[in-house]
Amino acid sequence: MKTLVSMGMIVAAGLAIASTEASAKCVLAGGQATMVTLDLAKYMANAALKNSINAHGWSARGAVRMRCDTSSVGLPHCLARQKACG
């Protein structure tokens, strides 16, 4: 459930960026996840990133940057970012 809320927040943030910077052709898209294992958190963060890019009709550019840490509740949390252009 947390992952769905996180994905929704990323999409909402992406919409805010897209609407406030209409003249910008590229954005830094992101997706995040907090899961039970590190591998699962990486997988879900990457999936959230790709869903966000596809939902906006953007195309991905460059490499995905993944940053993971342990959240305040002791679970792995990962943030995936990638340049996306529309």
Side-chain angles (χ1 to χ4, degrees):
M1 185 66 167
K2 268 188 169 181
T3 302
L4 292 176
V5 172
S6 296
M7 286 184 354
M9 291 172 61
I10 293 296
V11 171
L15 288 174
I17 290 170
S19 63
T20 58
E21 297 181 19
S23 62
K25 294 182 182 178
C26 294
V27 297
L28 184 60
Q32 63 179 343
T34 302
M35 302 303 277
V36 177
T37 66
L38 181 61
D39 288 337
L40 191 55
K42 286 180 180 180
Y43 176 80
M44 292 303 291
N46 197 35
L49 169 65
K50 292 192 184 308
N51 287 340
S52 178
I53 290 172
N54 289 336
H56 289 91
W58 297 329
S59 57
R61 302 274 194 269
V64 174
R65 292 176 294 192
M66 184 78 64
R67 189 180 76 206
C68 299
D69 61 2
T70 303
S71 67
S72 61
V73 293
L75 297 174
H77 172 263
C78 293
L79 175 65
R81 291 189 176 172
Q82 186 175 26
K83 184 177 180 180
C85 301

